[in-house]
Amino acid sequence: MNSPLRKVAISVLVLFTLLILNANYIQVVRSSELRANPSNTRILAEEYDRERGAIVVAGNPVAQSVATDDTLTYLRQYPNAEVYSTVTGYYSLVYGNSGIERAENDILSGSDDRLAFRRIADLFTGRDPSGGNVELTLDPAAQQAAFDALGGVDGAVVALDPRTGAVLAMVSSPGYDPNQLSSHDPAAIRAYSDQLSTMDPDPRTNATISERHSPGSVFKLITSAAALQDGYTPDTVVPAPQQYVLPGTSRPLNNYNGESCAASGEQPLIDALTISCNTAFAELGVDLGEDRIRATAEAFGIDQGQFDMPLTVAESTVGDIDGDAQLAVASIGQQNVQITPLQGAMIAAAIANDGTLMTPYLVDQLQAPDLSVVDQTEPTEMGQPVSAEVAGQLQQMMVSVVENGSGRRAQIDGYTVGGKTGTAQTTAEDDDNQWFVGYAGPDGDPQIAVAVFIQGGQGTGGDLSAPVAQQVMSAYLAARGGN
């Protein structure tokens, strides 16, 4: 063989070798990644030939597949679509999947390793393959009440069982119709997607876990917890001036609407929380110091990184604090403090659960197509932010907020309700953001913890968010008969 032919032969051999290596790399190394990619519509099209499992709430499907006469064998449908859209997400021929449809895709599609024996049995019996079911922790009464109470305004509601961490309600408003993203008409799917994209915020964004906002006075629960752990009691008298000049500056910090917290310029800690005195908590935060404020926030889950439940939850953060002036403002939930609504519910839940923070979870169990359970979630502790004694003191203070202070509109006849309102400043051009976090249940037995966030509402957290929380907690307790 002459030299030119030899070079050509070697080049061809190298190219074939690279082709084989690339094919093996794609099929072996990247196969799982490519299969899970929501843009891989070929895989989605193959999955339409098998019946996808249902997403279930209290025994009823909130996402299910039905047989069609189309080229694609099954169509994904969402009963009560907008109410559950925050959680279910969509299963789209064009845009892939999102929400639980994506997080639990392996079970729903039937490709999960735990269903391997079922797939083998299907081959031998000739039975049509199908996916498994995902049973959620959501409570129908609480979920519907959250959706109705928000009424389409920009906001979010999260409710937890403080004793287990189970998510009882998760609503990001406004909602959308996943049926229109999951049809078999690509043109209609794209048109609806374009419509949603023009909205601000985009309804497909799960604001309960992916959006962070300044919590305003809700963060005073963290500052209170830090103080109580440092030896303060609810009756400890703290400075509460009408105006507090931020350390190292000439800039004054005022109370809401320039009001006075106490004629004497000081008041018990419980009273300062009850009326949400800015100056008291700003000065208190500086006295306690940044390290204690940060450590307490971290104990409640802030600045602990993102986590999956199984939806991915964005990290809440205290942010950078440069000096005592910024620490004062951070201690009342402003500056760079940013939390998700879920984090707000976690704070209330830990306090309600005598200081134990349970890990939030949204999936109760996974089922094979024959409804046998292949996985059951067991509640787990995330941490112990405060002692039972301190939690009891915080409960006393939060009950005072609802009975005597800014959270009165969260009261529920016959039940003990504790809470904290928050009104967080945004910019001079925008309305403030409104918060309420709290819990409710029979005396001594809190059964639901909730966080309500309303973006840009005109009013205060007590005016706007507390009534929403009241409706969600009332609906849940009424449906359970208070048990």
Side-chain angles (χ1 to χ4, degrees):
M1 180 182 296
N2 58 36
S3 180
L5 288 176
R6 185 180 300 109
K7 291 179 180 179
V8 171
I10 292 173
S11 298
V12 171
L13 180 61
V14 170
L15 290 173
F16 270 110
T17 301
L18 291 174
L19 182 62
I20 292 170
L21 289 174
N22 185 61
N24 280 275
Y25 172 73
I26 291 174
Q27 294 179 18
V28 178
V29 178
R30 297 194 61 204
S31 59
S32 297
E33 174 193 344
L34 294 172
R35 177 172 289 275
N37 190 323
S39 299
N40 190 343
T41 56
R42 182 182 64 82
I43 296 299
L44 280 173
E46 290 178 0
E47 290 181 354
Y48 275 86
D49 287 336
R50 69 173 61 178
E51 184 177 2
R52 188 173 176 83
I55 301 174
V56 181
V57 171
N60 297 309
V62 295
Q64 61 187 346
S65 292
V66 297
T68 74
D69 296 327
D70 300 342
T71 302
L72 299 175
T73 308
Y74 289 97
L75 173 68
R76 199 65 168 165
Q77 290 187 341
Y78 299 87
N80 211 2
E82 288 196 43
V83 174
Y84 291 96
S85 60
T86 301
V87 176
T88 61
Y90 53 80
Y91 180 74
S92 175
L93 186 65
V94 176
Y95 297 109
N97 48 31
S98 69
I100 287 295
E101 292 279 26
R102 183 174 186 180
E104 297 295 350
N105 181 66
D106 287 353
I107 280 288
L108 292 167
S109 67
S111 62
D112 191 280
D113 290 342
R114 288 165 291 188
L115 301 179
F117 289 115
R118 167 79 183 199
R119 292 195 298 272
I120 293 172
D122 289 344
L123 288 174
F124 282 102
T125 62
R127 180 174 51 200
D128 290 335
S130 57
N133 297 333
V134 176
E135 180 88 35
L136 302 180
T137 58
L138 297 178
D139 177 81
Q143 184 77 4
Q144 186 70 53
F147 180 83
D148 292 342
L150 284 173
V153 302
D154 295 345
V157 173
V158 180
L160 301 173
D161 184 331
R163 302 161 297 186
T164 65
V167 178
L168 304 176
M170 178 174 278
V171 174
S172 178
S173 177
Y176 68 98
D177 183 5
N179 288 298
Q180 295 192 55
L181 292 173
S182 304
S183 74
H184 291 174
D185 184 344
I189 292 172
R190 291 188 177 92
Y192 185 60
S193 176
D194 291 343
Q195 176 186 331
L196 296 177
S197 297
T198 64
M199 301 174 66
D200 184 21
D202 189 321
R204 289 166 292 190
T205 300
N206 185 344
T208 67
I209 57 174
S210 62
E211 298 289 321
R212 303 183 306 189
H213 304 273
S214 295
S217 294
V218 164
F219 196 78
K220 292 172 184 174
L221 292 173
I222 300 295
T223 307
S224 295
L228 294 170
Q229 291 182 106
D230 200 46
Y232 288 67
T233 72
D235 295 322
T236 299
V237 175
V238 297
Q242 182 170 355
Q243 191 176 80
Y244 174 62
V245 178
L246 298 175
T249 77
S250 58
R251 176 188 168 194
L253 184 148
N254 297 310
N255 295 306
Y256 185 73
N257 279 342
E259 297 172 354
S260 172
C261 295
S264 64
E266 58 181 19
Q267 62 187 163
L269 182 61
I270 187 172
D271 292 345
L273 189 74
T274 299
I275 65 170
S276 200
C277 182
N278 286 341
T279 59
F281 281 94
E283 187 167 349
L284 178 60
V286 172
D287 290 343
L288 292 169
E290 180 181 344
D291 289 346
R292 185 166 291 281
I293 295 295
R294 280 195 181 278
T296 304
E298 289 175 3
F300 277 93
I302 300 173
D303 281 320
Q304 291 295 313
Q306 68 178 32
F307 65 94
D308 296 331
M309 39 77 73
L311 304 180
T312 300
V313 182
E315 179 185 40
S316 295
T317 182
V318 172
D320 294 334
I321 297 176
D322 184 11
D324 284 348
Q326 290 190 5
L327 175 59
V329 181
S331 298
I332 61 171
Q334 296 283 171
Q335 195 58 39
N336 296 318
V337 183
Q338 299 273 297
I339 70 171
T340 63
L342 175 63
Q343 177 65 63
M346 290 166 61
I347 293 171
I351 294 170
N353 195 36
D354 296 330
T356 299
L357 175 60
M358 303 301 290
T359 303
Y361 66 98
L362 184 56
V363 174
D364 179 42
Q365 61 179 223
L366 304 177
Q367 301 171 345
D370 62 2
L371 302 186
S372 61
V373 177
V374 298
D375 192 17
Q376 176 76 50
T377 302
E378 295 296 334
T380 60
E381 287 188 18
M382 181 175 280
Q384 183 82 28
V386 293
S387 67
E389 179 183 4
V390 168
Q393 294 172 325
L394 287 167
Q395 290 171 16
Q396 175 190 355
M397 294 166 66
M398 291 173 72
V399 168
S400 179
V401 170
V402 173
E403 292 184 351
N404 310 305
S406 57
R408 286 187 178 90
R409 297 187 67 182
Q411 294 177 6
I412 304 173
D413 289 342
Y415 294 100
T416 299
V417 182
K420 182 67 193 82
T421 59
T423 302
Q425 294 178 343
T426 52
T427 67
E429 294 78 20
D430 296 331
D431 293 324
D432 295 337
N433 290 334
Q434 315 304 333
W435 286 85
F436 179 89
V437 304
Y439 64 85
D443 188 30
D445 182 25
Q447 296 179 359
I448 180 172
V450 65
V452 176
F453 168 77
I454 294 178
Q455 187 165 1
Q458 295 184 347
T460 66
D463 297 329
L464 303 179
S465 296
V468 174
Q470 194 270 356
Q471 293 177 56
V472 175
M473 295 187 294
S474 292
Y476 178 73
L477 293 170
R480 292 174 54 85
N483 297 317

